[in-house]
Amino acid sequence: MPAGIFNSTYYGKDYRAGAALLRARRPYLFKNALTGIGLVGFSIAVYSYTIRAVGQDEFSDVQVPDTPAAKSQQ
C-alpha cells in the first residue's frame, strides 16, 4: 500500500479537507482563532511601542565632527 495523502481518511482525492477533518478541527477553531488574534495584537503592540520609543531619541548628546580626521602616517 503506497504512503501519502490519498491513504488518509481526512483528505479527498482533490486535496480538500474531508468531513472527518472538519469535525476533528471544530472544537479547536474558536480557541485557535482567539490565540491568533492575541498574538497579532501583541505583535502590533510591541512594534508600536518600539517605534514610539526609538522616535523619542534626540541624539543631542552625540558630537559630530566638522571635518574628517586626518590619517596619521607612520
Side-chain angles (χ1 to χ4, degrees):
M1 182 182 294
I5 195 170
F6 293 126
N7 292 333
S8 174
T9 58
Y10 289 119
Y11 293 97
K13 297 286 185 195
D14 57 352
Y15 296 106
R16 295 181 67 163
L21 181 60
L22 295 176
R23 280 192 310 271
R25 288 181 178 173
R26 188 173 296 136
Y28 306 103
L29 181 66
F30 184 70
K31 288 187 276 187
N32 287 346
L34 283 179
T35 302
I37 290 170
L39 286 172
V40 168
F42 178 74
S43 300
I44 290 172
V46 169
Y47 178 77
S48 300
Y49 172 78
T50 304
I51 293 298
R52 196 174 323 118
V54 171
Q56 291 176 358
D57 202 355
E58 298 174 4
F59 299 108
S60 61
D61 57 338
V62 178
Q63 295 179 358
V64 180
D66 292 334
T67 59
K71 293 183 181 180
S72 62
Q73 296 178 357
Q74 292 182 358

